[in-house]
Amino acid sequence: MNEIATKINDIFKKDFTSTQHLYYSPGRINFIGEHIDYNDGFVMPAAINKGMYYAIALNKTDFINFHSVDFDEKLTVGIRDIKKMTGWKNYVLGVVNEFLLLNKEVKGFDCVFGGDIADGAGISSSAAVEGGLAFGINELFNFGLDRKELALLCQRAEHNFPGVMCGIMDQYANMFGKKDHVILLDCRKIEHQYFPLKLDGYEIVLINTKVHHSLASSEYNKRRKECEEGLEILKKEKGIESFRDIKTSDELVPFKQKMGEKVYDRCKFVVEEIIRTQAAAILLQQNNLIEFGKKMYDAHEGLSKLYEVSCKELDFLVEQASANKDVIGARMMGGGFGGCTINIIKKECVVEFLSNATVAYQKRFQIDPEVIKVEVGEGTNEIRM
Ligand code: GLA
């Protein structure tokens, strides 16, 4: 057991007398395929070795006792009184609510959780919170849901309580992560394949801008609506079912006027990112990291200019990366409006690049960025004590 797991376990023993089970639930990175999980695209996430740890036990009452170690807050709630609240509470209560909506007989339990994954960094601490609890409840009550059903349950939890109309990528990566493997997820079919990640001579490094612009979730939902609006027009006028049925963004040009500038730009990005991700998946499987990295830079350009989900802090870090030939790929990662960039850097140049980029960032924004080194790890599971 690592240090955090031990800490969570010890706090549980101080708080409660019941006998607990321990679970680990990871965050994720995404190599490419951003904002297209809810647009029937392909995405390439992987679970990471950072996440949330849960200690949970049944308590033979009708009450659930939560203790969030990271927020240093507790919550006790009756099973029949589950309703929307705010902050972290919405994420855990949202999960319980979804089990109840499936008519699963949830009973009282005690739960302590916390982790080593930064909130608002774009590495999906929310999916880690949801996934660990959903997995634990499913095991403890023997509800028999499989991993795909759990991922979909967590996605619904996020829609219904925090109200972020997210796609399936984060919750899927959380459940299906595999050490040293990338997940190529087809979000139309909700099916995946794995392939080994070979980074010979290169390293993945995340740089956290440490900003999290408050419009992140409202703009996220707005992008989703804009895409739906564009797709409606394409369905009517072009007879297609999905953005996947479009082979090149040129096919969108005749509908530009009808869509309006913004919706057109969003759809152009979506179509291009879907095509780009399929090409990138082939490059990564061929171990052609150099060409793969170029696709990451292209993706950033689209996310920043057409989809408008970047921000000046993310753009600055990607500019720093692209000006350095040893950073073969970089882009913003996740929902955007802050959070991290993902960078693929030549191993022997990592230290120098990070020191230059972080100093420049500090100078420009008076914020110390955080360097996060991650490894690709396993999905949610029980930790045997
Ligand atoms: C957030 C959402 C995901 C996905 C990404 C952007 O992380 O939870 O479903 O849409 O943003 O790719």
Side-chain angles (χ1 to χ4, degrees), residues 183-245:
I183 301 168
L184 176 61
L185 171 61
D186 178 334
C187 302
R188 191 177 194 181
K189 295 189 182 145
I190 316 197
E191 279 172 14
H192 72 282
Q193 65 190 77
Y194 294 112
F195 53 88
L197 177 65
K198 294 198 200 95
L199 281 173
D200 317 323
Y202 291 89
E203 252 181 53
I204 313 165
V205 181
L206 310 181
I207 309 180
N208 187 357
T209 57
K210 291 266 203 68
V211 298
H212 185 56
H213 296 291
S214 57
L215 35 74
S217 54
S218 59
E219 285 296 315
Y220 186 96
N221 291 351
K222 202 163 142 197
R223 291 298 172 284
R224 198 170 171 151
K225 279 225 176 73
E226 287 164 340
C227 292
E228 282 164 10
E229 210 181 304
L231 185 60
E232 239 359 87
I233 294 174
L234 293 169
K235 277 183 178 169
K236 260 200 215 121
E237 307 269 326
K238 211 172 149 54
I240 55 147
E241 284 293 311
S242 150
F243 283 114
R244 280 272 279 281
D245 303 330

Side-chain angles (χ1 to χ4, degrees), residues 280-348:
I282 295 169
L283 291 169
L284 200 58
Q285 290 175 71
Q286 290 168 341
N287 246 352
N288 189 344
L289 280 182
I290 300 282
E291 288 305 313
F292 178 79
K294 289 185 190 160
K295 300 274 179 214
M296 291 173 74
Y297 281 119
D298 293 347
H300 183 81
E301 184 75 8
L303 286 159
S304 179
K305 305 271 161 52
L306 294 173
Y307 216 65
E308 295 184 293
V309 290
S310 186
C311 59
K312 57 184 187 311
E313 294 87 352
L314 286 165
D315 287 347
F316 182 85
L317 286 177
V318 174
E319 274 159 31
Q320 294 292 308
S322 67
N324 185 321
K325 65 173 184 357
D326 298 316
V327 188
I328 57 169
R331 59 177 197 83
M332 58 151 275
M333 191 181 72
F337 301 102
C340 288
T341 59
I342 175 168
N343 305 267
I344 302 189
I345 314 173
K346 221 183 209 167
K347 243 187 187 136
E348 59 270 26

Side-chain angles (χ1 to χ4, degrees), residues 28 30 33-38 43 122 124 126 155 158 164-171 220 332-336:
R28 61 101 190 92
N30 183 26
E34 217 63 270
H35 281 276
I36 51 171
D37 57 348
Y38 55 88
V43 292
S124 208
S126 54
Q155 183 195 24
E158 186 142 346
V164 180
M165 300 307 291
C166 63
I168 188 65
M169 172 170 76
D170 303 354
Q171 292 80 8
Y220 186 96
M332 58 151 275
M333 191 181 72

